[in-house]
Amino acid sequence: MRDVQLLKMGKETLVVASDNSGAIGLKKLDAVQVPYDIVGYYTFRVAAMECYSAGAIPEAVILQNFCGEDAWEGLVKGITRGLFELDVPDIPINGSTESNFSLVQSAVGLSVLGKRVSQVPLSATPFLKDTKVAVIGLPLVGNEVIELETEVAPLRLVKELSQLDDAVLLPVGSKGILYELNRLFSNRNFLKSDVTSVINLEKTSGPSTCFLIAFPAEVGLMVKELSGHYYHELIF
């Protein structure tokens, strides 16, 4: 279910979460024109969300930069913004830049290395009688991510909600909410017609601008209060 790699290191388990970005940046042929701090921030977001959703806390960031040497500072600025939002500003950022050849479009790869601190399930979990599911944030892609930034699920919410007992989080990627919903549970497979929602369940969520949270009904009020206007419950 998880897009992470687990590495056993003695009594500890390391989690490696990765994401990439292509044709987004300041090169002439980029499909989406945005500064490199935005590229760095949203690429980091995805990997950080996967890390927290897998029950880990970030320990290091590895950046692979194919945008050119001039882009490095902006990319790091965006990653640092994300680290401050998570209140972990001192985590080291390292990596490499392709400086021998110049690409015609921007490209970035990024990994977050984390230490697993909770026993959140890493495989599909059962859907129970009192299970509730909500989407936090909206699925956005391309220029929507900038234009509708106030609907992007904040990183701080990922961190806060991942610490709730019995809550299971799963970032939504390019295949949409319904796809991720059917990866979340071991005993249910949902058709589009099975789910009532004001959100497009099949739209790409780009750089994981939203995420799913499954939780028992008794913590529902807390999830709603923490999430505010980002909360969108799915009805089955």
Side-chain angles (χ1 to χ4, degrees):
M1 181 183 77
R2 303 289 177 183
D3 296 326
V4 298
Q5 181 69 49
L6 302 182
L7 302 173
K8 290 291 292 184
M9 305 289 288
K11 295 182 179 180
E12 295 184 337
T13 300
L14 300 184
V15 171
V16 182
S18 301
D19 192 48
N20 58 64
S21 170
I24 303 174
L26 293 175
K27 290 183 179 288
K28 185 177 180 179
L29 296 182
D30 284 340
V32 179
Q33 294 284 322
V34 293
Y36 286 114
D37 63 303
I38 300 297
V39 178
Y41 173 71
Y42 279 98
T43 308
F44 168 76
R45 268 180 57 94
V46 178
M49 290 170 72
E50 291 284 1
C51 189
Y52 276 104
S53 297
I57 55 174
E59 296 285 341
V61 179
I62 308 299
L63 172 64
Q64 306 297 336
N65 168 34
F66 298 91
C67 306
E69 292 183 359
D70 293 343
W72 181 268
E73 183 177 348
L75 292 169
V76 170
K77 179 181 178 182
I79 295 168
T80 302
R81 170 188 165 190
L83 293 175
F84 270 92
E85 288 183 15
L86 292 169
D87 198 27
V88 288
D90 297 326
I91 287 176
I93 304 169
N94 223 313
S96 177
T97 294
E98 171 56 74
S99 56
N100 290 311
F101 300 97
S102 178
L103 279 67
V104 297
Q105 288 181 303
S106 299
V108 170
L110 184 146
S111 295
V112 171
L113 280 63
K115 184 187 298 181
R116 189 159 152 80
V117 294
S118 81
Q119 297 304 310
V120 61
L122 296 180
S123 57
T125 58
F127 184 90
L128 304 176
K129 184 178 180 180
D130 70 337
T131 298
K132 300 289 185 181
V133 183
V135 178
I136 309 300
L138 292 180
L140 305 171
V141 67
N143 288 317
E144 291 178 334
V145 177
I146 306 303
E147 295 165 1
L148 299 173
E149 188 176 10
T150 56
E151 301 300 332
V152 175
L155 277 177
R156 63 166 179 80
L157 264 182
V158 180
K159 182 177 181 179
E160 290 176 1
L161 293 175
S162 71
Q163 296 169 347
L164 292 180
D165 290 339
D166 300 320
V168 178
L169 277 62
L170 190 61
V172 178
S174 60
K175 294 181 180 179
I177 294 167
L178 187 63
Y179 173 82
E180 302 295 353
L181 183 63
N182 282 320
R183 297 175 70 206
L184 192 57
F185 300 109
S186 59
N187 61 339
R188 285 289 301 269
N189 187 72
F190 297 94
L191 301 175
K192 185 178 179 180
S193 57
D194 296 329
V195 187
T196 300
S197 173
V198 297
I199 301 175
N200 185 339
L201 300 178
E202 297 176 314
K203 181 183 177 183
T204 174
S205 183
S208 293
T209 56
C210 66
F211 62 92
L212 286 168
I213 180 170
F215 52 92
E218 63 261 25
V219 299
L221 182 59
M222 183 180 299
V223 174
K224 289 181 182 180
E225 289 179 346
L226 286 172
S227 303
H229 82 277
Y230 300 102
Y231 181 92
H232 308 281
E233 188 168 340
L234 301 181
I235 307 299
F236 307 109

